[in-house]
Amino acid sequence: MKTKNSGEVAVDVEDPDAKMSSDSVTKGTEKQGAQPYLKYISLLALTLQNAFLILVMRYVRTRGGDMFMSTTAVIMSEFFKCITCLGIILYQEGNVKGFINHLYSNIIQQPIDCAKVSVPSFIYVLQNNLLYVAVSNLDAATFQVTYQLKILTTAIFSVIMLRKVLSRLQWVALVILFVGVSIVQMQPDTATPKKTVATEQSPMLGLLAVIISCMMICWVYFEKILKGTPQSVWLRNVQLSILGMVIGVITMEIKDGTKVSEKGFFFGYDYLVFVSFGGLVVAVVVKYADNILKGFATSASIVLSCVASMYFFDFQLSLQFTIGACLVMLSVYMYSRNM
């Protein structure tokens, strides 16, 4: 059996009463032609974004000079995401009055619906803080590879929470992906970067942070909310960002409250720190593709990250990485053929 195709998802998202209306089915059919393009474009954008952002994050967390606080970076990332989504909603509504009415009717008048995103908001903030810990203690290539463990956990939770059915070939593809990622992770000592970093690192701490982050099911939970309600992906991200900023401020006060009071919120910031903020493309991917396919696109960023690391961080390509990367690409082909 196969998972639901993108056309079926489009009907569910755009019109929750599609099963009761033949007109809505027709609308869903009309959108099938355009949707695959949006899906693959968003997946390509996610691949490029992940490869670029991880490299920038690694650089700004290991360079010399004043180091910014990761808790403030998480807040700023949510802030920019919120502003961007609000701008898109304003553009879609066409005027300020419609924009305000849209937010009022979907947020203020629906507190229970907004409460649904409180769980993923909390997990997002915790996950983002863990990722800063991980990228501060693992080189970019190792981080990218290790973080792909989330693909398998996401697949398992998708089956459990979203009732998705995977074929035997898809499960085999996931196993091959896991093996490929594991092989890439077994880098010899000669493959580690030669350049020294300005901050003290603990690979074990970084590995633990990645593992805990991979076990979080926020992406699956968010997909269940997004595809089960008529609210747009932009509105959902506004809700997530607002709650995320509140939770982020609380986290900052607990962890870095004293340091922020003494040195200021933007201590250690420069333009590269702002460039490292990302994540909005993921929301588009969640709408136009399932989480597992998104995970495979992220796996492709391993290759880009490792190639770039060879130039910027003196990463040395090993036989293990080559074999593992080939297995990852094979798994992508097997999974795509069975969609």
Side-chain angles (χ1 to χ4, degrees):
M1 297 181 66
K2 298 182 180 181
T3 55
K4 292 183 178 181
N5 59 41
S6 59
E8 293 172 334
V9 172
V11 174
D12 291 338
V13 172
E14 298 297 334
D15 190 349
D17 298 323
K19 296 179 180 179
M20 301 174 59
S21 171
S22 60
D23 292 338
S24 61
V25 174
T26 301
K27 293 179 180 179
T29 303
E30 292 174 350
K31 292 182 179 180
Q32 288 181 359
Q35 182 129 332
Y37 294 100
L38 293 174
K39 178 174 69 173
Y40 292 115
I41 289 174
S42 61
L43 287 172
L44 177 61
L46 178 63
T47 300
L48 297 176
Q49 173 189 259
N50 280 357
F52 176 74
L53 290 181
I54 294 304
L55 293 170
V56 175
M57 286 178 64
R58 172 65 179 174
Y59 174 73
V60 298
R61 294 301 293 178
T62 57
R63 62 182 177 177
D66 296 331
M67 179 63 63
F68 66 96
M69 290 161 278
S70 61
T71 52
T72 64
V74 171
I75 297 173
M76 291 304 300
S77 179
E78 294 297 326
F79 172 77
F80 283 116
K81 184 169 68 175
C82 182
I83 294 298
T84 302
C85 291
L86 287 173
I88 293 174
I89 294 175
L90 176 61
Y91 173 79
Q92 291 177 337
E93 292 298 321
N95 56 75
V96 176
K97 182 178 180 180
F99 169 74
I100 294 176
N101 290 336
H102 181 78
L103 295 181
Y104 180 79
S105 61
N106 285 281
I107 297 180
I108 304 300
Q109 291 186 332
Q110 299 188 43
I112 297 179
D113 181 72
C114 292
K116 291 180 181 179
V117 301
S118 60
V119 174
S121 291
F122 174 77
I123 299 177
Y124 282 153
V125 172
L126 178 58
Q127 185 183 51
N128 288 336
N129 279 282
L130 285 172
L131 292 183
Y132 272 105
V133 174
V135 80
S136 299
N137 290 277
L138 297 173
D139 63 83
T142 302
F143 171 80
Q144 276 282 37
V145 171
T146 309
Y147 193 46
Q148 301 317 301
L149 291 174
K150 67 181 180 180
I151 299 173
L152 183 59
T153 57
T154 300
I156 294 174
F157 286 121
S158 293
V159 171
I160 296 174
M161 297 183 64
L162 302 180
R163 306 301 181 186
K164 291 185 177 180
V165 180
L166 303 181
S167 68
R168 292 180 181 179
L169 188 60
Q170 286 176 309
W171 282 114
V172 171
L174 290 173
V175 172
I176 293 176
L177 177 64
F178 179 79
V179 173
V181 169
S182 299
I183 293 175
V184 173
Q185 187 179 9
M186 295 186 296
Q187 294 290 315
D189 293 337
T190 55
T192 56
K194 295 180 181 179
K195 289 184 178 180
T196 58
V197 295
T199 58
E200 184 178 352
Q201 298 183 86
S202 172
M204 184 59 65
L205 177 61
L207 178 61
L208 181 61
V210 171
I211 292 176
I212 296 175
S213 180
C214 290
M215 292 301 298
M216 295 180 175
I217 58 174
C218 52
W219 295 121
V220 179
Y221 187 85
F222 184 38
E223 181 183 3
K224 186 173 183 179
I225 294 175
L226 194 61
K227 294 181 178 179
T229 58
Q231 280 77 12
S232 69
V233 63
W234 312 118
L235 180 65
R236 284 303 187 193
N237 272 280
V238 169
Q239 295 171 329
L240 279 170
S241 299
I242 292 175
L243 291 173
M245 284 187 285
V246 173
I247 298 172
V249 170
I250 296 175
T251 304
M252 180 193 69
E253 288 296 327
I254 295 175
K255 183 180 179 181
D256 298 314
T258 302
K259 189 174 180 180
V260 171
S261 298
E262 294 177 352
K263 299 185 177 181
F265 185 93
F266 293 104
F267 175 78
Y269 274 65
D270 63 4
Y271 75 96
L272 282 177
V273 177
F274 286 99
V275 169
S276 67
F277 299 147
L280 188 60
V281 177
V282 176
V284 181
V285 176
V286 169
K287 181 173 182 179
Y288 293 109
D290 63 76
N291 279 296
I292 305 172
L293 192 58
K294 171 178 66 67
F296 279 119
T298 307
S299 297
S301 66
I302 294 177
V303 178
L304 296 178
S305 296
C306 290
V307 171
S309 294
M310 289 189 294
Y311 291 97
F312 297 105
F313 299 108
D314 284 346
F315 179 80
Q316 297 183 16
L317 187 63
S318 67
L319 178 61
Q320 285 91 331
F321 171 76
T322 303
I323 295 175
C326 290
L327 289 176
V328 169
M329 300 308 294
L330 174 62
S331 67
V332 173
Y333 175 77
M334 291 175 58
Y335 185 85
S336 300
R337 282 292 299 270
N338 204 42
M339 288 293 292

